[in-house]
């Protein structure tokens, strides 16, 4: 008789604005019925599902397992109920806990005391008194007198792929770059050009998508330290991932006016293991020529304050428009633009594909509406 596997509930945390794209990605990875909600994506399944999401998601920031939720209007009740949850599945007695709390519309509104109470209750449940800032992260949300408790399964944040050591100004988060490529429908089959590549994030994420390498292939995850970690399941997922890898079938090119940024981008591509698939050159975007008849050209121009003057920004957008409607007219073209500056590019016939927050600035992904030539 087949043994029924335990199903757990999980939550993939995303940057605000990326919930839908992350849900579509999880579905494509093979996860059943992911549900986008504000702040992330809910999904359920056996442990394999959790491993799959951590290994393959290019857009989630971290993945947590829901341990349970309890009604609590006073601290003794909170303690009593939290002790009874199945902490031993995810934590060990010697784990030092890092309990993060947020409170909304609840009688228990003192996050420090909630953290202390949860920490003591979990310690009691595990038969330990270990507390303090440790590796095992417990996330607690008090909302309307209900306490929702989760354990982090990722450890290091998922956008920290580990390839970006060389700093440049205003790099894009790796998860955001991947989400933008997916939103634009880029699947790793057609040429791609980043006209202002900076540290190379778009091009490197594109290479990882095109060669079908999971972003979590070579890293450790917090779930590997759980008592119930199933290394056999994980190794099968890695073998399956390795079978899918291939050489990149299309040109992936990045350029930037700043030589130092290009040195950093090449360095980053080497660390990401995709240097053979990408091409970076120091060049102003005004001089770019298309490397193929069609493809995707995109860029993340500097924001107003970095470029010095607002008139400088208008000039840059005008030249970008000339590039996109001139030699790249047959290409799909997109750019990032702070929402506050969208009026400056109104005449370029853009449509807005996505709005997200990047380093506290509200930014839109604009795609040029192409006029079909017959
Ligand atoms: C916001 S940064 C891009 C960051 C990049 N997406 C990353 O993840 O590292 C903007 C870049 O535009 C470049 N830039 C500014 N004017 C340019 C021009 N005319 N041609 C090419 N690159 C330019 C800057 O040197 C800078 O690296």
């Amino acid at each position: 008789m087949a043994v029924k596997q335990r199903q757990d509930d999980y939550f993939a945390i995303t940057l605000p604005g990326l919930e839908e794209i992350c849900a579509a990605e999880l579905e494509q990875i093979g996860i059943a019925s992911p549900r986008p909600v504000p702040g992330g994506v809910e999904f359920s399944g056996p442990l394999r599902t959790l491993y799959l999401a951590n290994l393959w998601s290019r857009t989630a920031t971290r993945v947590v397992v829901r341990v349970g939720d309890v009604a609590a209007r006073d601290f003794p009740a909170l303690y009593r109920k939290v002790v009874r949850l199945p902490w031993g599945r995810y934590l060990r007695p010697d784990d030092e806990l890092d309990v993060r709390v947020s409170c909304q519309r609840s009688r228990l509104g003192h996050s420090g005391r909630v953290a202390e109470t949860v920490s003591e209750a979990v310690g009691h449940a595990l038969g330990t008194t270990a507390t303090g800032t440790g590796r095992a992260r417990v996330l607690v949300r008090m909302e309307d007198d209900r306490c929702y408790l989760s354990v982090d399964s990722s450890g290091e944040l998922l956008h920290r792929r580990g390839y970006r050591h060389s700093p440049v100004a205003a790099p894009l988060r790796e998860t955001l770059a991947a989400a933008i490529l997916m939103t634009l429908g880029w699947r790793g089959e057609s040429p791609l050009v980043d006209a202002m590549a900076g540290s190379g994030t778009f091009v490197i994420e594109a290479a990882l998508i095109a060669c079908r390498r999971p972003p979590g292939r070579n890293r450790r995850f917090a779930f590997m330290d759980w008592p119930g970690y199933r290394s056999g399941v994980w190794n099968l997922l890695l073998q399956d991932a390795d079978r899918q890898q291939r050489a990149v079938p299309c040109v992936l090119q990045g350029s930037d006016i700043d030589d130092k940024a290009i040195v950093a981008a090449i360095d980053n591509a080497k660390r990401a293991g995709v240097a053979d698939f990408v091409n970076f050159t120091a060049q102003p975007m005004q001089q770019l020529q298309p490397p193929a008849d069609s493809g995707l050209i995109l860029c993340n121009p500097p924001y107003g304050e970095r470029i010095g003057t607002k008139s400088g920004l208008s000039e840059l957008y005008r030249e970008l428009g000339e590039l996109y409607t001139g030699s790249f007219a047959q290409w799909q073209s997109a750019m990032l633009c702070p929402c506050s500056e969208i009026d400056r590019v109104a005449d370029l016939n853009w449509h807005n594909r996505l709005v997200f927050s990047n380093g506290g600035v509200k930014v839109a992904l604009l795609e040029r509406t192409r006029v079909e030539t017959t």
Side-chain angles (χ1 to χ4, degrees), residues 6 9 11 15-16 47 94 97 103 148 151 163 185 198 201 209 219 238 253-254 291 310 321 323 344:
R6 200 187 65 236
D9 293 329
F11 188 64
L15 287 171
L47 275 178
D94 59 350
L97 305 182
C103 301
Y148 299 83
V151 169
Y163 62 72
T201 320
I209 292 173
R219 56 162 277 172
L238 292 187
Q253 181 183 306
K310 293 276 181 186
L323 182 76
R344 287 173 204 278

Side-chain angles (χ1 to χ4, degrees), residues 13 21 43 65-66 68 80 96 112 141 195 268 286 308 365:
I13 299 171
I21 193 80
F43 60 103
V65 58
R66 307 264 207 217
R80 244 186 2 261
E96 287 206 337
R141 185 164 52 91
N268 291 335
Q286 294 84 343
L365 166 64

Side-chain angles (χ1 to χ4, degrees), residues 91 95-99 118-119 122-123 126 130-136 138:
L91 300 170
D95 274 334
E96 287 206 337
L97 305 182
D98 175 9
V99 181
V118 169
S119 207
V122 176
L126 296 170
T131 52
T133 303
R135 285 175 309 139
V138 175

Side-chain angles (χ1 to χ4, degrees), residues 331-348:
W331 284 51
Q332 178 186 8
S333 45
M335 67 179 280
L336 301 188
C337 179
C339 291
S340 57
E341 308 292 344
I342 285 181
D343 285 353
R344 287 173 204 278
V345 292
D347 56 332
L348 290 177

Side-chain angles (χ1 to χ4, degrees), residues 56-335:
W56 278 103
S57 176
R58 301 180 194 277
T59 64
T61 305
R62 71 165 78 244
V63 186
V64 303
V65 58
R66 307 264 207 217
V67 184
D69 57 279
V70 297
R73 308 184 89 196
D74 57 61
F75 286 105
L78 180 66
Y79 184 93
R80 244 186 2 261
K81 293 178 181 180
V82 170
V83 167
R84 285 193 226 123
L85 296 175
W87 298 103
R89 282 184 200 153
Y90 315 109
L91 300 170
R92 297 176 182 277
D94 59 350
D95 274 334
E96 287 206 337
L97 305 182
D98 175 9
V99 181
R100 304 284 173 105
V101 179
S102 68
C103 301
Q104 271 180 44
R105 301 181 301 273
S106 296
R107 200 169 283 194
L108 303 186
H110 189 301
S111 54
R113 266 200 79 189
V114 172
E116 243 170 63
T117 308
V118 169
S119 207
E120 283 168 17
V122 176
H124 184 166
L126 296 170
T128 176
T129 51
T131 52
T133 303
R135 285 175 309 139
R137 181 174 293 206
V138 175
L139 296 124
V140 180
R141 185 164 52 91
M142 280 295 321
E143 208 171 289
D144 299 320
D145 293 329
R146 213 168 171 83
C147 184
Y148 299 83
L149 300 115
S150 309
V151 169
D152 172 38
S153 74
S154 303
E156 180 85 67
L157 290 168
L158 297 179
H159 73 81
R160 300 213 180 113
R161 316 269 205 245
Y163 62 72
R164 219 166 52 183
H165 292 190
S166 310
V168 301
L172 209 56
R173 266 200 196 185
E174 296 83 337
T175 41
L176 197 47
I180 286 166
L181 294 172
M182 291 176 196
T183 302
L184 293 168
W186 193 80
R187 301 265 172 271
E189 305 293 341
S190 52
L192 177 138
V193 169
D194 181 350
M196 301 186 186
S199 61
T201 320
F202 273 134
V203 175
I204 294 170
E205 287 299 313
L208 292 170
I209 292 173
C211 72
R212 300 180 179 155
R213 188 178 311 155
R217 175 64 184 86
N218 298 318
R219 56 162 277 172
R220 272 194 72 72
F221 292 92
F223 65 72
M224 292 174 171
D225 295 321
W226 291 358
Y229 172 52
R230 305 200 28 217
S231 57
V233 173
W234 177 249
N235 286 330
L236 281 178
L237 291 181
L238 292 187
Q239 282 168 24
D240 187 43
D242 290 348
R243 272 196 298 273
Q244 294 181 44
Q245 278 194 50
R246 62 171 188 175
V248 171
C250 47
V251 177
L252 303 178
Q253 181 183 306
S255 50
D256 199 285
I257 200 166
D258 179 358
D259 300 5
K260 287 201 204 79
I262 290 304
V263 170
I266 292 171
D267 233 38
N268 291 335
K270 282 184 191 153
R271 253 189 308 273
V274 297
D276 290 346
F277 303 139
V278 300
N279 177 17
F280 285 110
T281 50
Q283 195 177 21
M285 60 91 178
Q286 294 84 343
Q287 290 172 11
L288 270 180
Q289 286 303 320
D293 291 343
S294 62
L296 168 65
I297 180 167
L298 79 175
C299 67
N300 170 205
Y303 298 155
E305 62 273 20
R306 294 206 183 87
I307 203 159
T309 61
K310 293 276 181 186
S311 59
L313 192 62
S314 294
E315 177 68 4
L316 191 73
Y317 286 154
R318 194 188 55 72
E319 288 176 337
L320 202 52
E322 275 175 17
L323 182 76
Y324 283 6
T325 54
S327 47
F328 283 86
Q330 296 310 313
W331 284 51
Q332 178 186 8
S333 45
M335 67 179 280

